[in-house]
Amino acid sequence: MEISTAALNSVKKGFQKLFDKAYQGIPDPWFLQLAMESSSTGAEEEYHWLGAIPGMEELLGEVTLKNLVRHGWTIKNKEWHDTIPVKRVDIQRDKLGVYTPLVTTMGEAARMHPGELVAKLLSEGFASKDYTGKNFFDTDKKAHAKAVKFTNKDTHVLAASTFETARANLKGRLNAEGRAMRLGADLVLVVPPALEAKAREILIADTIPNAEGTASQTNVNKGTARPLVIPELASYSDTAWFLIEAGKQIKPVIVQTELQPSTNMVTNDNDSHVLLKGEYLYQAYGRYNVGYGLPEFAYGSTGADALA
């Protein structure tokens, strides 16, 4: 193939089509079950409404305004890229087919990258602060000075009993004003691959061994939540597990996007890289980030401690 402006534009359009098809081919990535999408128009966004969950109250005289405490909780966007070289000789020899799987994988990776960030965020939640000023998973947390306290942290292994404790904790959760939050609409038990069998035993099995292990009994936890296995969690822990309320508009994690990943290609033969390396550059680029939303909608355990 002759290297011309038309030929390079054709290559660029072909790669763009492959990238977009792969990116859009994952319409419902797992992280959207746990995270709320938020659009951004600048370098960062402030979420000052965290801690002010709406609720109806009797109108007596003047309207009482919700106390939107200025927590100063912001999520700063980051720049992300995935850049690959495209050799000039491969274009000249009509060997662009060798790039098809690579560009396709770029599109898939770009779509799933926020999931990697969400998995990291959850895993680091035992030592990273949220809008309350305490770690995302912690004890005696509260939205503001006069708010009702809550605890969303455990350290015990995943078992039927610890799952029941987590579920009761979420379903009994009160908001900052002491009113029931009515959680439990769609509970998701989030686990790494190492805990998949245990999660399925707790939530899917019809029967389970009794306390003595001598007979089977009805599994009362069947269907009370749904398991979600996240391979990315294995990079951080094989024991940590999480119970998330996913049935509300607001979520415990925020995926903030300023610029959705898009692609471009350096095709100027006078570019220093092209001159020195004999290759063009194809890049996927985006600006986005993730951050903690409402810890009230989440419960996490390190899984480090055995049952007593």
Side-chain angles (χ1 to χ4, degrees):
M1 178 188 296
E2 180 185 354
I3 300 294
S4 63
T5 299
L8 291 174
N9 285 338
S10 178
V11 171
K12 182 178 177 181
K13 289 179 180 178
F15 283 178
Q16 178 74 60
K17 186 175 181 180
L18 287 172
F19 181 92
D20 290 344
K21 182 179 180 180
Y23 187 94
Q24 296 164 8
I26 307 176
D28 188 24
W30 65 260
F31 61 85
L32 292 184
Q33 299 179 50
L34 314 179
M36 176 180 67
E37 290 188 285
S38 174
S39 297
S40 176
T41 57
E44 63 182 40
E45 300 295 334
E46 181 180 4
Y47 295 87
H48 61 273
W49 50 266
L50 293 174
I53 303 300
M56 298 294 287
E57 59 185 37
E58 184 179 3
L59 178 59
L60 298 172
E62 292 186 2
V63 170
T64 301
L65 299 179
K66 289 292 180 184
N67 181 25
L68 293 182
V69 181
R70 284 284 174 178
H71 297 285
W73 183 249
T74 62
I75 298 176
K76 297 181 179 180
N77 292 311
K78 294 183 178 181
E79 295 181 281
W80 307 92
H81 81 95
D82 189 2
T83 306
I84 62 171
V86 180
K87 294 184 178 298
R88 294 181 81 254
V89 295
D90 285 338
I91 297 177
Q92 291 172 326
R93 294 168 179 167
D94 290 329
K95 291 188 175 295
L96 291 174
V98 300
Y99 294 94
T100 296
L102 189 56
V103 175
T104 297
T105 302
M106 284 179 67
E108 295 171 345
R111 184 63 177 124
M112 294 306 298
H113 183 240
E116 295 180 37
L117 302 180
V118 169
K120 184 174 187 289
L121 200 69
L122 287 176
S123 298
E124 295 178 345
F126 302 100
S128 298
K129 298 187 186 320
D130 59 25
Y131 83 93
T132 69
K134 300 196 72 173
N135 293 330
F136 185 72
F137 296 114
D138 214 331
T139 58
D140 296 329
K141 296 163 62 69
K142 53 185 179 179
H144 52 78
K146 297 181 180 180
V148 173
K149 292 181 180 180
F150 68 95
T151 292
N152 68 345
K153 176 187 175 182
D154 193 3
T155 61
H156 291 95
V157 298
L158 177 61
S161 60
T162 53
F163 166 77
E164 290 165 5
T165 297
R167 182 168 175 264
N169 179 293
L170 280 179
K171 289 180 71 69
R173 187 68 50 81
L174 304 177
N175 69 10
E177 298 173 353
R179 302 171 69 174
M181 299 187 74
R182 299 182 299 280
L183 304 184
D186 181 18
L187 294 180
V188 180
L189 179 58
V190 180
V191 298
L195 295 179
E196 179 177 6
K198 176 58 68 174
R200 292 177 64 84
E201 174 188 300
I202 295 171
L203 301 177
I204 298 177
D206 294 320
T207 60
I208 56 174
N210 61 15
E212 294 75 27
T214 58
S216 295
Q217 63 185 23
T218 300
N219 181 11
V220 297
N221 291 316
K222 180 181 179 180
T224 55
R226 52 190 178 88
L228 177 61
V229 181
I230 299 179
E232 290 86 349
L233 290 177
S235 299
Y236 307 99
S237 172
D238 281 334
T239 63
W241 56 275
F242 313 92
L243 189 61
I244 305 293
E245 169 59 84
K248 302 289 186 179
Q249 184 67 34
I250 301 175
K251 299 289 194 298
V253 176
I254 298 171
V255 173
Q256 176 178 289
T257 304
E258 179 188 1
L259 179 66
Q260 180 177 297
S262 58
T263 61
N264 205 345
M265 191 169 180
V266 174
T267 58
N268 185 354
D269 283 329
N270 293 321
D271 180 86
S272 60
H273 184 88
V274 178
L275 286 171
L276 293 174
K277 301 289 186 179
E279 58 190 23
Y280 302 112
L281 296 177
Y282 188 73
Q283 181 182 83
Y285 170 87
R287 292 194 299 272
Y288 51 90
N289 203 1
V290 302
Y292 295 118
L294 288 181
E296 291 91 335
F297 287 10
Y299 183 99
S301 175
T302 62
D305 296 333
L307 296 176

